[in-house]
Amino acid sequence: MISLQHLYKAFGPKQVLNDMSLDVERGESVVIVGGSGTGKSVTLKHIIGLLRPDKGKVIIDGTDICTLNPVELNAFRRRFGMAFQEGALFDSMSVFENIAFPLRRHTKMTEEQIRARVEECLAQVHLELSAGDKRPSELSGGMRRRVGFARAISLKPEILLFDEPTTGLDPVISDVVAELICEMDRTLNTTTVTITHDMKVAFKIADRVAMLFQGQIIEQGTPEVFQQSSNEIVQQFIEGRAEGPLTEIETVDRRKRLRE
Amino acid sequence: MTAVLELLGYYFLNVFEQTGLWFRMLWRTIRWTFRRPFEPREWLRQMVRLGWDSIPVVFLTSMFTGMVLALQTFNGFQRVHAENFVGSVVALAMLRELSPVLVGLMVTGRVGSSMAAEIGTMRVTEQIDALKALATDPVQYLFVPRVIAGIVMLPFLVVLGDALGIGGGYLVAVKLMNANSVLYEQNTYQFLELNDIWSGLIKAAVFGLILTLTGCVRGYYTRGGAEGVGRATTNAVVSASLIILFTDFFLTKLLF
């Protein structure tokens, strides 16, 4: 369904994606893990066409989205739902208006139908319609994510993208959000790509985990296979150790960049 | 010496780059204006925000400018016994020049800056990316309603400014400086031509476009958190004001 083929992307002198390839099957839930600055968000933004690669192809259902013009890309994006790190809710609108926004723009639904669909989306993320009157600034971090999820699913997308869905949340709320993602993945029957650095969350929601390091996928497999990986970098990341090859390589890289 | 040249070169390149960017975004705005879906509710909201909410600022600025202009010219003209022509000077100056430019600058400070800050904050909090992810072009949703509001509402504000400036001048000349009210009124309208009014209105529409588009473009290309938003806001006001003053000269030359 999603095929990232040999992606290269640099920002100035920094090469963020370096011959990165990844395939996601229809209905699969793939979690991309990796440290900060390894290009996880950049990868996600390539999938939905928010960024264009310097080289390589992003193929969604047989269409290379890098070749689409802005109007075609806009139309294509209706097949996606994306939940952003901090929710990225429109703060000039209420929760209800946020979720109704894509429905009002892209469908010919009546106000009644929109109301029913918003209620349905809120119920999917375990919120009631009464929460719809609140402004995004009045919501807690966890609530904001849920509303972000509700907005992402309002157009019934085929592909759901989650950008660091649990960052900055306490462990209990993180687990609740992870449960919610599992539930959405099951009930909505979508293809899901999530990026996170929280291994507990990753193992909970993934059919397949892929690790991104220095702009490349260095390991991927089912949670069980991934946990047994012989790659020392992967093991260091899973265990969250300060010492190991991951830290050493990054230190060398940092020094090299400073010298340049 | 090399450093100075380097700095100058960098400065000029930057100016050219920004000018190119401005015109590219203008072209994108024009193209998206005629594409569905249209957002009449958003257009109206921006018109109220830019037009109706700016009335107090326009009221004070234009009224006092008209008053001070009458006061100054009255003093000068009295020396050559031409005080009866104060009305004409005030009317001409307000209609052709002062009202469009001052209203343009005041609305830039009030609305252009807030547009840059709002869109800039949307950029740094990923709301612009969210718009795109929701299959909505940010230029269509954010730029088009604001630019239309600027082009439509600024001429209305300028008409208001004209009336208030001329009224303020009348008050000062007649009530404060004891000028002959009938003569003053007569002279105010006697030398006016239709061209004086519409040249001011054309200027207003162009300034409306400049201040809104500059605010939007600066906000859209914000980088670097809260500091970036602050920088974008300042840049929006400074660039839009400079472009307005610069364009004013050429428009005056063209429309005379």
Side-chain angles (χ1 to χ4, degrees):
Chain A
M1 173 115 200
I2 302 171
S3 176
L4 307 177
Q5 298 176 356
H6 308 288
L7 295 188
Y8 288 84
K9 181 75 182 176
F11 294 102
K14 189 170 164 47
Q15 190 71 40
V16 181
L17 296 183
N18 195 4
D19 195 15
M20 190 269 193
S21 296
L22 179 74
D23 288 302
V24 182
E25 299 301 324
R26 190 178 295 276
E28 197 182 18
S29 170
V30 169
V31 176
I32 303 172
V33 296
S36 307
T38 47
K40 301 192 299 289
S41 287
V42 172
T43 305
L44 210 62
K45 285 181 178 171
H46 274 90
I47 298 178
I48 195 170
L50 291 174
L51 289 174
R52 284 188 184 227
D54 298 334
K55 222 164 87 183
K57 287 179 178 172
V58 179
I59 309 221
I60 313 284
D61 239 358
T63 309
D64 183 359
I65 62 166
C66 308
T67 59
L68 301 178
N69 68 35
V71 180
E72 290 167 337
L73 185 60
N74 237 351
F76 204 80
R77 283 192 184 126
R78 287 179 212 175
R79 302 169 67 176
F80 290 91
M82 181 162 177
F84 287 83
Q85 201 166 342
E86 299 285 336
L89 302 175
F90 305 128
D91 40 26
S92 58
M93 303 176 194
S94 67
V95 165
F96 181 92
E97 286 167 336
N98 260 284
I99 303 169
F101 180 84
L103 301 172
R104 290 208 170 110
R105 278 191 73 86
H106 302 304
T107 68
K108 290 196 172 121
M109 288 165 94
T110 62
E111 271 309 302
E112 244 170 66
Q113 288 169 320
I114 288 175
R115 202 179 163 75
R117 178 68 191 144
V118 171
E119 194 172 0
E120 207 179 324
C121 293
L122 281 169
Q124 182 76 46
V125 296
H126 305 297
L127 287 174
E128 284 173 13
L129 192 60
S130 56
D133 296 332
K134 291 204 164 103
R135 309 297 289 190
S137 55
E138 295 173 76
L139 304 177
S140 66
M143 283 268 273
R144 220 173 295 152
R145 308 292 161 99
R146 287 183 196 212
V147 177
F149 294 177
R151 187 178 65 183
I153 59 171
S154 63
L155 282 177
K156 300 187 177 168
E158 298 162 47
I159 301 166
L160 268 177
L161 308 174
F162 293 97
D163 184 0
E164 306 265 11
T166 58
T167 303
L169 300 179
D170 71 56
V172 178
I173 301 289
S174 285
D175 199 52
V176 172
V177 169
E179 283 282 353
L180 196 62
I181 294 175
C182 290
E183 193 187 312
M184 282 161 71
D185 189 39
R186 263 197 323 269
T187 54
L188 301 173
N189 204 16
T190 51
T191 306
T192 309
V193 181
T194 309
I195 59 167
T196 183
H197 50 243
D198 185 335
M199 290 313 296
K200 206 175 145 212
V201 171
F203 290 139
K204 187 160 200 159
I205 62 182
D207 294 329
R208 185 154 52 99
V209 184
M211 179 155 174
L212 194 60
F213 182 66
Q214 294 197 316
Q216 280 181 327
I217 299 289
I218 54 163
E219 183 72 86
Q220 55 178 312
T222 60
E224 296 73 28
V225 171
F226 192 83
Q227 267 168 310
Q228 305 300 323
S229 167
S230 56
N231 190 324
E232 282 187 40
I233 296 175
V234 175
Q235 282 308 326
Q236 188 195 346
F237 191 79
I238 293 175
E239 290 163 22
R241 272 185 283 117
E243 297 91 26
L246 202 155
T247 329
E248 282 160 26
I249 295 170
E250 278 181 349
T251 312
V252 171
D253 267 11
R254 206 169 27 246
R255 283 198 189 130
K256 208 168 112 192
R257 272 206 303 277
L258 277 175
R259 267 204 306 275
E260 282 165 4
Chain B
M1 187 63 191
T2 332
V4 175
L5 281 176
E6 212 171 272
L7 201 72
L8 266 175
Y10 173 77
Y11 178 76
F12 274 111
L13 275 180
N14 194 32
V15 168
F16 281 123
E17 194 185 321
Q18 293 299 325
T19 313
L21 192 67
W22 197 91
F23 279 103
R24 208 180 65 172
M25 294 311 270
L26 174 65
W27 176 234
R28 273 182 70 179
T29 308
I30 293 169
R31 275 199 321 185
W32 279 105
T33 303
F34 302 102
R35 279 198 187 128
R36 285 173 188 280
F38 301 115
E39 298 276 353
R41 221 193 290 177
E42 186 61 18
W43 292 14
L44 201 68
R45 198 171 77 91
Q46 293 303 333
M47 282 185 191
V48 169
R49 200 175 140 197
L50 189 142
W52 182 256
D53 294 353
S54 296
I55 288 178
V57 177
V58 170
F59 184 93
L60 288 173
T61 314
S62 307
M63 181 108 172
F64 278 96
T65 306
M67 283 161 75
V68 89
L69 190 63
L71 205 58
Q72 293 279 26
T73 41
F74 200 92
N75 263 329
F77 281 25
Q78 212 170 23
R79 292 173 207 172
V80 289
H81 305 291
E83 57 269 39
N84 287 335
F85 293 101
V86 169
S88 325
V89 171
V90 171
L92 270 174
M94 286 308 296
L95 288 170
R96 294 194 68 99
E97 186 61 38
L98 290 176
S99 187
V101 172
L102 287 176
V103 169
L105 293 179
M106 293 310 284
V107 177
T108 299
R110 211 191 75 82
V111 183
S113 60
S114 86
M115 283 176 182
E118 189 186 359
I119 297 177
T121 308
M122 288 183 78
R123 163 66 74 192
V124 299
T125 54
E126 290 191 305
Q127 289 178 52
I128 301 249
D129 282 343
L131 268 181
K132 288 185 189 170
L134 293 166
T136 300
D137 192 280
V139 171
Q140 186 184 31
Y141 187 70
L142 298 172
F143 284 42
V144 171
R146 283 166 175 79
V147 171
I148 286 179
I151 296 173
V152 173
M153 293 316 282
L154 223 70
F156 281 108
L157 288 174
V158 165
V159 168
L160 183 74
D162 291 340
L164 286 164
I166 292 170
Y170 177 86
L171 277 183
V172 165
V174 174
K175 303 287 176 198
L176 202 70
M177 311 301 280
N178 297 319
N180 184 317
S181 66
V182 179
L183 265 179
Y184 187 93
E185 218 173 300
Q186 241 174 30
N187 280 333
T188 299
Y189 303 116
Q190 200 177 359
F191 301 106
L192 284 189
E193 289 169 15
L194 209 57
N195 173 34
D196 298 327
I197 297 171
W198 67 252
S199 73
L201 296 185
I202 290 177
K203 275 186 183 180
V206 175
F207 296 164
L209 164 77
I210 291 171
L211 76 94
T212 47
L213 188 66
T214 311
C216 291
V217 172
R218 290 295 184 175
Y220 191 73
Y221 287 100
T222 299
R223 274 162 201 236
E227 198 193 338
V229 176
R231 219 175 16 244
T233 312
T234 313
N235 281 342
V237 176
V238 174
S239 344
S241 306
L242 286 177
I243 303 173
I244 284 178
L245 293 171
F246 179 76
T247 318
D248 180 48
F249 172 79
F250 291 101
L251 276 180
T252 309
K253 193 88 183 76
L254 205 73
L255 297 169
F256 212 83

